[in-house]
Amino acid sequence: MEKIRNTLHANERLKSRKLIGEIFKSGQSFSHFPFRVIYLCAPKCISPLQTAFSVSSKTFRKAVDRNRIKRLMREAYRVQKQDLRDYIRDKNICLIVFVIYKGTDLPDFDIVKEKMNGLLNRLKNVC
């Protein structure tokens, strides 16, 4: 039995300003409280699944809080992304995702993990 490593490599992170601009310009979106998701199904990209995470500095003034929420979101995503990644590889498409935290209070990891699971299941249905 082969053990699957849950990692989040650099090529799976969305860092390109050009791609981020393209997502906000022509991507589709949905809300899954406390997240807002903007996604784009692309025909060709570096990695089959690229993701970025963001937290509003207007809602969370302290960088410590913003960074903690982003860390929780990345960890919940990293642990649960395997099903979505396999689904996308089977369909032979690329999915670019931008996740924005819209809640107003500091979340607990269990809540973030549960909500991220719902978000990833919903992403499977849109592409």
Side-chain angles (χ1 to χ4, degrees):
M1 188 166 133
E2 184 180 321
K3 185 177 179 183
I4 297 172
R5 293 186 61 206
N6 295 323
T7 59
L8 188 59
H9 293 289
N11 63 348
E12 294 176 326
R13 293 180 188 230
L14 179 60
K15 296 181 268 187
S16 167
R17 288 183 184 266
K18 187 176 179 181
L19 275 177
I20 292 171
E22 185 70 26
I23 287 176
F24 281 99
K25 189 173 85 174
S26 60
Q28 297 172 321
S29 67
F30 64 86
S31 289
H32 187 80
F33 189 79
F35 304 116
R36 176 155 174 77
V37 180
I38 304 167
Y39 66 93
L40 183 65
C41 296
K44 186 179 178 183
C45 56
I46 298 168
S47 176
L49 182 60
Q50 285 188 309
T51 312
F53 301 93
S54 177
V55 179
S56 171
S57 61
K58 195 173 192 179
T59 308
F60 294 96
R61 299 282 185 196
K62 295 180 180 177
V64 175
D65 294 338
R66 291 193 304 272
N67 292 337
R68 173 152 179 79
I69 294 169
K70 286 189 279 189
R71 239 185 346 264
L72 291 174
M73 290 183 350
R74 279 193 304 265
E75 180 64 14
Y77 171 79
R78 182 187 69 81
V79 171
Q80 303 179 77
K81 72 173 179 172
Q82 190 63 38
D83 289 338
L84 179 62
R85 191 169 62 186
D86 293 342
Y87 178 78
I88 287 171
R89 280 194 181 143
D90 291 343
K91 288 190 88 175
N92 200 19
I93 57 171
C94 292
L95 183 63
I96 303 166
V97 182
F98 198 94
V99 182
I100 304 169
Y101 183 78
K102 289 295 206 175
T104 56
D105 55 340
L106 284 170
D108 188 36
F109 180 69
D110 296 331
I111 294 169
V112 173
K113 188 174 178 183
E114 176 187 324
K115 297 294 184 172
M116 187 64 69
N117 187 29
L119 181 149
L120 293 173
N121 287 333
R122 192 159 171 194
L123 272 172
K124 273 198 275 190
N125 296 331
V126 295
C127 270

